[in-house]
Amino acid sequence: MTIQPEEKYMQLAIEAAKTSAANGDYGHGAVIVKDGEVISTGFETLKSANDPVNGHAEIDAIRKACSLLGQPYLSGCVMYCTAEPCPMCMSAIIWAKMDAAVYAITRDDMIAEMERLKAESGGKFSWRQIAIPAEYIVKHGEPKVQLFPGFMRDVGLALFELTGK
């Protein structure tokens, strides 16, 4: 399957991220597309739902899409997310048999921003992470998922302004 990322879908993920932030969560959003149709939109609810697992926008989008389609696999689907999927979310994308993940900001972008926030807060800002990039997980997983990092990166970087607000 030849995949050409489309700005309109990333823009929907960005709007979901803004909604997540407006609800008191981190500014992350996700959208799943199949055959040119939006199947689901995922919102970050980690803080508002007190759920560090299901509260990820990508997991929310996957659960909704599987429920809507009535099946556990999402072959033919593309995940658009505002940030590089964490190891858990990237694994879920693989296990759901999705074709691709398109994301705006990379793990390196997130690390740089978190280091800036940590310095500004005098070391009080804390970010939990597992230092495994999405590319590594895809390389070692099956089925293979196409990755499109840095798509609309500048718009994604602007979402950092929502952190902590």
Side-chain angles (χ1 to χ4, degrees):
M1 173 184 211
T2 302
I3 297 166
Q4 294 290 356
E6 295 186 47
E7 289 186 9
K8 65 183 178 181
Y9 301 126
M10 182 60 78
Q11 192 58 49
L12 292 172
I14 288 166
E15 292 306 315
K18 290 177 181 177
T19 298
S20 297
N23 290 335
D25 283 287
Y26 298 111
H28 295 293
V31 170
I32 295 178
V33 176
K34 182 174 184 163
D35 299 326
E37 179 184 343
V38 175
I39 302 299
S40 66
T41 301
F43 301 92
E44 187 82 5
T45 59
L46 189 145
K47 293 193 287 185
S48 61
N50 295 315
D51 188 345
V53 176
N54 296 311
H56 288 223
E58 298 93 335
I59 299 298
D60 185 41
I62 290 170
R63 291 172 62 111
K64 288 175 179 174
C66 289
S67 178
L68 180 74
L69 296 175
Q71 61 190 37
Y73 302 117
L74 300 173
S75 298
C77 291
V78 176
M79 170 76 75
Y80 284 82
C81 41
T82 55
E84 180 173 337
C86 73
M88 177 185 68
C89 291
M90 192 66 242
S91 296
I93 290 166
I94 291 169
W95 291 328
K97 300 183 180 181
M98 298 183 75
D99 290 359
V102 180
Y103 49 94
I105 58 173
T106 65
R107 186 176 167 281
D108 289 339
D109 293 328
M110 290 184 280
I111 289 169
E113 178 64 11
M114 296 312 131
E115 290 301 320
R116 183 189 68 78
L117 289 171
K118 189 174 182 179
E120 285 182 2
S121 70
K124 294 179 183 174
F125 186 85
S126 163
W127 181 47
R128 290 134 325 272
Q129 66 162 319
I130 299 171
I132 304 172
E135 291 89 358
Y136 181 89
I137 295 168
V138 168
K139 180 179 175 183
H140 293 86
E142 280 297 328
K144 297 302 180 204
V145 173
Q146 293 181 58
L147 297 179
F148 296 88
F151 185 75
M152 293 179 62
R153 180 176 178 261
D154 291 341
V155 180
L157 288 171
L159 294 172
F160 283 137
E161 295 302 316
L162 303 176
T163 300
K165 293 184 180 177

